[in-house]
Amino acid sequence: MRLAFEEVKKTMQEILIKHGCSQEKAEKVAHEMGRNSLEGTYTHGINRFARLVRNIEEGIVNPEADPETIAEFGGMVRIDGHLGLGVINAWYAMEQAIEKAKLHGIGLAALKNTNHWMRAATYGCQACDAGMAGICFTNTIPNMPTWGAIDSRLGNNPIVFAFPRKGGHLIVDAAMSQFSYGALELACLQGRKMPVDAGFDAEGNLTREPEAVIQSRRILPTGYWKGAAMSFLLDVFASACSGGNNVCQIGKLEGDEHGVSQIFLAINYKALVPEAEAERIAEDAVSDLLASQKDDKTHRITYAGQKAGEAKKDNQANGILVDERVWSEILSL
């Protein structure tokens, strides 16, 4: 089904208010989750909303909590999220990083005791909209085995790289698994296989069947051993710099994923390089990439971040694509 953005936002906002969120917080969270689906990231937008509400009901997410700056040094700041709404905490953290970058060239915000931030790219876009490059990453519950192992002791720990561009920001938003669990769940809803191997089934065989990977919990690290190593170090950076939980500790908490650690970097590159020169370099890179010769199976070549802009235009014109079962569950809340 197709729904207008404002209808989606209004519905989710009303539900959040009924579940203890202030008007301001409910508006922000509903806006960003609706925007995620508007820009094509359905897995971390409308599709995840019912789970957020359940987390509030279970007491895992505290809708009344506010992020608190607990330490500062130069261009760095440390923040306690007090298990508040992940979107609110993450937005605040990137704001702090941006403000530090205005003064020091680079700003870093380390956030502990927070919750799922929904779409990671949101905070890369936030940096870009402020005229800065952004990097951010988070740890998660243990949901991915290290390379060669059977049991999950790593998170799929998403990371974002974002660079501003007038014709559309350049953004990579990638988990350290070949596919996020959200992508697997979406494929299950749509009754399709993954385009490449996504993980192992119960017998230890590589498979493209999303349901088999969800059941085995043996998701495949991106680049095999390389993705596993990246995941491990991202976890150490996020938890050690924030003084928060690492993946191991998150796994010992009762209930759904909560209490995660995150890092936000804002880079004021225009203090070193003229904006016009940086824009020209980015345009040259995009133009060269789009001139790539396609193989026989490829419909077209795209740059990182291009599809989000195209999805937004389509969904603004025709309404956001929403699975009827997902929307029915949301209305029941």
Side-chain angles (χ1 to χ4, degrees), residues 51-252:
R51 183 173 174 182
L52 169 61
V53 174
R54 288 196 299 270
N55 289 165
I56 293 173
E57 292 174 339
E58 294 162 358
I60 290 171
V61 176
N62 180 2
E64 297 178 350
D66 293 313
E68 177 188 9
T69 296
I70 55 177
E72 294 184 67
F73 180 79
M76 300 184 294
V77 59
R78 184 171 170 239
I79 302 164
D80 190 332
H82 296 297
L83 296 180
L85 292 154
V87 170
I88 300 299
N89 286 342
W91 192 271
Y92 174 84
M94 182 53 89
E95 276 187 336
Q96 299 308 301
I98 290 168
E99 290 305 310
K100 291 291 186 183
K102 290 177 181 178
L103 294 173
H104 302 281
I106 294 179
L108 182 148
L111 173 63
K112 71 172 186 173
N113 292 334
T114 191
N115 286 300
H116 200 295
W117 58 6
M118 302 306 157
R119 181 182 61 160
T122 295
Y123 315 102
C125 289
Q126 183 183 355
C128 289
D129 289 344
M132 298 190 185
I135 300 172
C136 47
F137 51 93
T138 183
N139 59 14
T140 71
I141 56 171
N143 59 15
M144 182 173 76
T146 193
W147 184 245
I150 297 174
D151 55 330
S152 294
R153 295 177 184 265
L154 298 176
N156 59 356
N157 301 349
I159 186 169
V160 170
F161 293 91
F163 198 88
R165 174 173 166 267
K166 293 178 181 177
H169 301 324
L170 308 179
I171 298 182
V172 172
D173 176 354
M176 289 298 103
S177 55
Q178 185 62 48
F179 297 99
S180 70
Y181 278 98
L184 296 177
E185 290 163 359
L186 180 61
C188 286
L189 277 173
Q190 297 175 342
R192 58 177 172 82
K193 293 182 180 181
M194 309 312 291
V196 297
D197 290 334
F200 298 89
D201 62 21
E203 287 73 43
N205 302 309
L206 283 169
T207 179
R208 298 186 181 188
E209 296 287 351
E211 189 171 354
V213 178
I214 291 172
Q215 290 176 351
S216 73
R217 307 302 290 179
R218 290 187 64 188
I219 202 164
L220 189 66
T222 300
Y224 306 108
W225 50 88
K226 294 181 180 180
M230 285 281 289
S231 169
F232 179 66
L233 263 297
L234 288 172
D235 176 39
V236 171
F237 266 74
S239 56
C241 290
S242 67
N245 294 320
N246 62 18
V247 168
C248 174
Q249 293 164 331
I250 295 167
K252 295 176 181 177

Side-chain angles (χ1 to χ4, degrees), residues 246-318:
N246 62 18
V247 168
C248 174
Q249 293 164 331
I250 295 167
K252 295 176 181 177
L253 301 175
E254 293 185 5
D256 203 356
E257 177 185 273
H258 65 288
V260 301
S261 305
Q262 298 172 345
I263 296 291
F264 302 82
L265 279 160
I267 304 166
N268 189 5
Y269 65 93
K270 288 185 286 190
L272 295 175
V273 178
E275 182 177 5
E277 183 176 349
E279 180 73 15
R280 177 190 60 76
I281 291 170
E283 283 301 320
D284 285 350
V286 169
S287 297
D288 186 63
L289 182 75
L290 295 181
S292 299
Q293 184 175 350
K294 299 181 296 183
D295 64 25
D296 295 336
K297 298 178 181 179
T298 300
H299 171 60
R300 61 173 183 150
I301 303 295
T302 58
Y303 63 81
Q306 181 175 349
K307 292 181 180 179
E310 294 172 348
K312 182 177 181 179
K313 288 181 181 179
D314 177 53
N315 287 333
Q316 282 178 326
N318 303 303

